[in-house]
Amino acid sequence: MRVSKYILPTLKENPSDAVVLSHRLMMRAGLIRKESAGMYAYLPIGLRVLRKITGIVKEEMDRAGAHECLMPEMTNADYWKESGRWETMGPEMIRITDRNGLEYSLGPTHEESFTNLVRSVISSYRDLPLNLYQINTKFRDEIRPRFGVIRSKEFIMKDAYSFDIDQAGLDASYNAMSMAYRRIFDRCGIATIPVQADSGNMGGSASEEFMVASEIGEETLLLCDKCEYRANSEKAEYTRGEVKSESAVEELKEVLTPDVKTIEDLVKFFKCDEDKFLKSVIYVADGKPLMVVVPGSREVNEHKLKNFIGALELDLANDEVVEKVTGAPFGFAGPVGIKDARIVFDISVKNMVNAITGANKKDYHLSGVNPVRDFNIKEEADITSARAGDICPKCGSPMYEKKGIEVGHIFKLGYKYTKAMNLTVLDEKGASITPIMGCYGIGVNRTMAAAVEQNNDERGIIWPKSIAPFQVHLIGIAKTDEETAAVEPAEKLLDTIKEYL
Ligand SMILES: [Zn+2]
């Protein structure tokens, strides 16, 4: 390939809409161009990098025993209806109807398609374990596409799905993918931080995300260097601090607090620490009102809460529901005297002494609030998010936060799709059993952007050798006519090394 004949449309200036480094560098180096919001074209040099990454992904997936397939990008709505996700996927899934009125989605993920494929081709436990993957385009109707190819509407993903006869088999498939992912990112020259992630109702360490540390990351990671505890903020646990010794238990007292509604207002009004307050938040979970009580400085972790109560849908309640549950307008809710709503407490609440909370009465709060005497804790769970400085649940050291971009995710799915779509095989005794599934994704374009974010200097991208678009740049140094003969050896050399380029 000659540079003079190549299309390499570099830019001198940063494009105005490119706010992150990888986006700027990929545009300026002529790797990509924007088609429209959240959609990018890859120019020849960008495509070379993308293909090198997919080549590494493919080699490592094959090495781990997975088999490559290629599924249609338009996926039949019938299968989504079988799994129940036609209703639950929400507006991010792009849905289309053909001229005959048949419905499809532009696949945002392919659990249904692969489950359907597998049920049509296997029938015996002897066919398992099976791990199928594809490297294909995915679609998501992002509400706000941004950061170049990092959050786009259309992207290339490697997605794999494992099928095993039992949990031990799934553990083995999952571990093989965990190792393969480590090799893939190593070979692509990017440092990832594998973190425990929220795994819905599967529990345990059944989900791991591969994160690239980055200021622009949309995920927060909680890390402990002492024991290597690593988790994303949806999942991260923390040990609650010791209870501070308090003076005697105070009497419950109603305090007039006109227009004092938020924790900020309360801190000013009562002149005390945020964690003196019991923050009560009203939700609607699967159609039913729910009060959640956490210390004042803490945020409710909706992932943890959803997992604990087993809800599919969780939304903040509107003013009308708040008034119905508490008998007061927004801003004065508290657990004292609530009779008709389910209340879930964070596990730290039971240790709070002489707290302050809403009185369920307009313009009033209660001080001297104490658990057991003033309200009963029937349900408690870890439902708040960890933050920097919190105590590591494994070793007791303080944790710190980092922002990260997710480039890969491995997940033990369980029986959700195989059961819903009735995928069964016969076991050795001839009885029908349902295989258990895992799924494993890598964002290929994101991996490329992450490599750029991590490897650059003031002069531009410094490609890791394994994914560099070209390995050799051959320069003929003749500059004058008399020296033209010197070009010939360069031409010869080019011929010799062509097959390695
Ligand atoms: Zn630790």
Side-chain angles (χ1 to χ4, degrees):
M1 190 60 61
R2 282 163 188 279
V3 173
S4 58
K5 303 259 191 294
Y6 204 58
I7 174 150
L8 203 57
T10 54
L11 302 175
K12 283 211 171 72
E13 303 295 329
N14 288 325
S16 58
D17 65 340
V19 292
V20 302
L21 188 62
S22 56
H23 189 190
R24 285 203 292 268
L25 292 176
M26 287 168 80
M27 291 287 289
R28 291 188 58 183
L31 305 172
I32 56 167
R33 282 294 180 270
K34 188 160 144 184
E35 213 293 315
S36 58
M39 290 190 274
Y40 288 84
Y42 282 76
L43 284 142
I45 192 167
L47 185 60
R48 287 182 75 95
V49 178
L50 207 60
R51 289 259 161 85
K52 292 202 170 178
I53 295 171
T54 54
I56 291 170
V57 170
K58 183 172 155 38
E59 278 174 28
E60 293 299 339
M61 291 302 291
D62 293 348
R63 190 212 296 257
H67 308 283
E68 190 177 9
C69 300
L70 187 61
M71 305 302 275
E73 289 166 19
M74 247 168 84
T75 63
N76 192 324
D78 289 347
Y79 305 136
W80 293 91
K81 286 174 185 168
E82 267 189 80
S83 74
R85 289 208 293 182
W86 190 251
E87 283 74 37
T88 58
M89 278 300 280
E92 279 196 353
M93 185 156 89
I94 300 172
R95 295 151 209 261
I96 48 179
T97 307
D98 75 6
R99 65 173 77 192
N100 296 315
L102 297 174
E103 294 173 301
Y104 303 87
S105 94
L106 286 180
T109 174
H110 276 76
E111 282 81 2
E112 285 83 354
S113 298
F114 273 96
T115 306
N116 175 59
L117 175 71
V118 169
R119 72 179 166 184
S120 73
V121 295
I122 70 164
S123 55
S124 162
Y125 73 97
R126 288 195 196 90
D127 300 322
L128 300 177
L130 183 62
N131 188 340
L132 299 179
Y133 76 97
Q134 65 171 343
I135 297 170
N136 205 352
T137 303
K138 297 269 183 276
F139 302 86
R140 261 172 222 174
D141 193 356
E142 288 286 349
I143 195 159
R144 202 160 71 88
R146 59 195 175 282
F147 305 152
V149 302
I150 290 175
R151 188 162 283 279
S152 52
K153 286 185 181 172
E154 187 182 312
F155 50 95
I156 298 165
M157 208 167 137
K158 185 286 297 173
D159 48 328
Y161 305 86
S162 68
F163 298 82
D164 281 278
I165 51 166
D166 56 20
Q167 182 70 45
L170 171 60
D171 292 346
S173 296
Y174 179 88
N175 290 341
M177 286 295 100
S178 178
M179 298 309 292
Y181 274 41
R182 283 164 167 78
R183 282 197 299 270
I184 288 167
F185 295 121
D186 271 359
R187 286 185 59 190
C188 289
I190 58 174
T192 57
I193 308 170
V195 302
Q196 288 181 29
D198 178 36
S199 52
N201 55 8
M202 285 295 292
S205 58
S207 175
E208 200 176 23
E209 285 174 347
F210 291 78
M211 311 292 298
V212 171
S214 165
E215 287 299 307
I216 58 154
E218 293 171 310
E219 305 226 23
T220 304
L221 319 178
L222 272 296
L223 309 171
C224 170
D225 279 347
K226 202 149 188 197
C227 75
E228 304 213 321
Y229 179 75
R230 271 132 180 56
N232 76 10
S233 60
E234 290 173 3
K235 162 90 180 176
E237 295 166 14
Y238 65 102
T239 302
R240 302 318 192 254
E242 293 288 306
V243 191
K244 283 178 215 145
S245 61
E246 277 274 351
S247 44
V249 169
E250 293 167 11
E251 287 301 305
L252 193 63
K253 205 168 92 187
E254 241 180 32
V255 185
L256 179 65
T257 53
D259 284 329
V260 177
K261 293 178 182 174
T262 65
I263 292 292
E264 230 183 343
D265 299 338
L266 284 162
V267 166
K268 273 188 208 147
F269 186 89
F270 285 95
K271 295 184 181 60
C272 59
D273 188 71
E274 280 179 304
D275 280 335
K276 190 82 183 152
F277 303 99
L278 283 171
K279 180 154 80 181
S280 305
V281 187
I282 320 290
Y283 283 94
V284 176
D286 289 342
K288 290 184 187 142
L290 171 76
M291 181 183 273
V292 172
V293 183
V294 303
S297 74
R298 293 285 170 178
E299 297 301 326
V300 177
N301 182 320
E302 294 183 358
H303 293 273
K304 289 181 179 178
L305 178 61
K306 249 171 135 172
N307 290 343
F308 175 70
I309 59 174
L312 290 175
E313 281 182 41
L314 185 73
D315 296 300
L316 280 172
N318 59 25
D319 290 353
E320 198 183 324
V321 176
V322 170
E323 194 138 4
K324 210 169 158 198
V325 172
T326 67
F330 171 84
F332 302 98
V336 182
I338 296 291
K339 296 225 161 46
D340 301 326
R342 181 178 179 183
I343 313 181
V344 177
F345 294 88
D346 183 69
I347 48 174
S348 47
V349 170
K350 63 172 172 289
N351 294 329
M352 291 174 71
V353 183
N354 299 332
I356 299 167
T357 189
N360 299 319
K361 185 171 161 187
K362 189 177 181 322
D363 290 338
Y364 281 93
H365 277 77
L366 294 173
S367 69
V369 179
N370 288 279
V372 185
R373 186 193 67 188
D374 302 322
F375 57 88
N376 285 322
I377 297 179
K378 281 194 203 135
E379 289 189 274
E380 62 165 4
D382 170 11
I383 49 163
T384 48
S385 296
R387 62 188 176 212
D390 279 343
I391 305 300
C392 168
K394 285 263 171 68
C395 78
S397 301
M399 298 186 285
Y400 61 98
E401 280 182 7
K402 254 191 185 166
K403 292 280 180 202
I405 302 168
E406 180 194 325
V407 288
H409 192 178
I410 59 175
F411 193 87
K412 290 183 187 173
L413 273 176
Y415 295 100
K416 179 171 175 181
Y417 299 94
T418 47
K419 273 198 174 143
M421 297 181 69
N422 200 25
L423 162 60
T424 58
V425 294
L426 296 179
D427 70 8
E428 55 225 312
K429 291 179 190 128
S432 178
I433 55 165
T434 304
I436 186 166
M437 268 176 90
C439 70
Y440 318 93
I442 288 182
V444 176
N445 321 67
R446 268 190 184 190
T447 299
M448 179 170 166
V452 174
E453 287 278 337
Q454 277 191 358
N455 301 283
N456 61 75
D457 66 8
E458 69 286 352
R459 290 191 291 183
I461 303 166
I462 306 166
W463 288 112
K465 195 176 159 203
S466 57
I467 59 170
F470 295 98
Q471 300 293 317
V472 177
H473 188 176
L474 191 61
I475 304 168
I477 54 172
K479 294 224 172 82
T480 64
D481 281 346
E482 295 92 284
E483 283 172 325
T484 311
V487 174
E488 280 178 18
E491 292 280 356
K492 271 188 198 148
L493 191 53
L494 179 63
D495 269 349
T496 327
I497 62 171
K498 226 171 204 166
E499 59 183 296
Y500 302 105
L501 296 180

